[in-house]
Amino acid sequence: MKRLLSMALRNVGRNRRRSLLTGLTVFFGVMVIVNARGLMWGLQSMLIEDTVEARVGALQVHRRGYVDSADAAPLELSLPADEPFRQRLLAIPNVAGASGRLVINGQASNGRAQTLFVGRGVDLAHELETCPRSAVTVKAGGSMLQPADADAALLGSALAGAFGVGVGGSVALQATSPGGRVNSLDVQVKGLTESAFPFENQRVAVLPLSTAQGLVGMAGRVTEYAVRVHELSRLEETADALRAALGPDVEVHTWRDLQAFLRDVIYRQNTLLGGVSLLLFVVVLTGIINTMSMSVFERTREIGMLLALGVRRRAILQLFLLEGVLIGLAGGLMGALAGRLLVGGVAALGISFNISGIAAVTVLRPQVTPLFVAAAVAVAVSGSVLASLWPAWRASRLDPVQALRS
Amino acid sequence: MRLLPALLLLLPLAAAAAGPTAEAILKAYDAVMGPPVFEAENELTSVREDGSSRTYVMRFLKRDADKFRVWFREPASVKGQEILRLGDNMWVYLPNLKRATRVANRESFQGGDFNNADVLRVNYAGDYEGTLVPSDVPDTFCAKLKATHPETAYDAITLYVRRKDLQPVAARYYASSGKLLRSAEFSEVKTFAKGYDRPAKVVMRNELVPARSSTLVLRSLSLDVEAPPQRFMQTDLGR
């Protein structure tokens, strides 16, 4: 076996240009796949963080039936806005933070025009520990709401634009209590928010919880709790633990359930990437098959000589397979190393997405897991074996007399 | 001593000069604006802030405080549409789909600036506590109404009624925050049935966006109608 290996090594080295070319094909294939996956994972985790950390929370808790009719923002399905209830959520393992919100539908007006709005009353004392990036969406020139604020609001930039109102201006918000009482309040605009989600820009006003409660006469009540978790990977088990602890009157949804759009985007990206990877794999495979076939063709006399000297047909097969493995392994390892370094380098630099006007910048940082890199190498090597199989078999089947005569 | 009976005789006259009680004004308003059962044909015109306006002609049938049906007549785009409202639930029937869809309960009456409570659930005597105050409008009484429970549409209302027959003239509606939400003007008092007079025209102005207003004109109204319970069932929609 050792002799076979040294023969294979020498054979690979003998036609340096062809081996290098084949190795480079594998090298680039692995590097591209590692980087594409890294970028995709980086992009997805950026989107997820934007959703989970800035707005939705990892999990949300509602009164049963709320999410099915969430568009109507049913105020009747409410939960207590008190510390004991919040502590029940915080007592669950992996829960890092929880904050109550009151989502209301109403009309906003500036004295000249009126439009529908969705008000999100947030518990400012706890919102930042649940959605740490929620302040990030506030455009420069405005400021995040503070716990002491009352009768203040952050307006979606397009919503504010429709009224021609800016930071410091005021709008009248009107909403109806569950019992049918109409109420209206003047709120001061403390900031404008900008989001990648058009609905957020056009319809949403963020209010202090007490202001939202006052508007709809629901002191001490919220319609949802946003929950932050320590580890997103344990999301489902945390959701189950919450369900078990809170009983049948309450429903728990993960960000995947609540943001079906984002979930589908990620699914489509992964499918696309899978297709592209497969295509790349086939191209690399074809390259190896070609090299090995050429090698067998060129070395027919040599193979005939080996057979004539009494080398077993099985050893010929093993020799050619080994050559394939060596090229695949070398190219794959180098490609994985280069790919990993590139991903790390780009991640360290970061690709900035500066959504127009927002103070903080969203940065895309590609990321790959060691497991994915190892898997890419394994696929490259087994691909090489697969691709060498047919040429190697053909070489081992040669008739020594015919081969020597050629 | 002969003076006393004479003075006693004069007392009711003095009371009449001081005017009715606030409670009487509220009861009179309920009797005029919210008869328990009626069928009417109306024209509702809503003017939006951009100056555009829309007019709907509809027939509606009301029974009790929380049951009503609407049949749209005009314009052609909504002809055949129907609405059923039972308490807090509301269904819209679309003739081209031949289906009734449940819609979120919005408090606005047919998308205009009226509140459902302005048109359908009129029960001022039950919902508000009235106080008579000096009126700043000639020939009217003025009552300040304050909600007696949190489920009323408004926190407070200022109501002006005619001195001679207590027909409503104007009203101002306030939110819990004290903000003026809407104001109404009632005009064109007509006799719709024997012994039943009411304003045929109500203009409701949205005080938060003064360019918005809705006008409800009653073309006809009948108190003597049958409103059988089966008319207020989902299965009756589209028939």
Side-chain angles (χ1 to χ4, degrees), chain A residues 253-265:
Chain A
H253 290 92
T254 65
W255 67 265
R256 280 190 196 86
D257 306 329
L258 298 163
Q259 298 289 315
F261 170 75
L262 183 58
R263 186 195 57 199
D264 293 347
V265 164

Side-chain angles (χ1 to χ4, degrees), chain A residues 144-168:
Chain A
M144 179 63 186
L145 297 173
Q146 298 306 317
D149 282 340
D151 297 344
L154 300 176
L155 293 190
S157 52
L159 181 64
F163 287 146
V165 66
V167 176

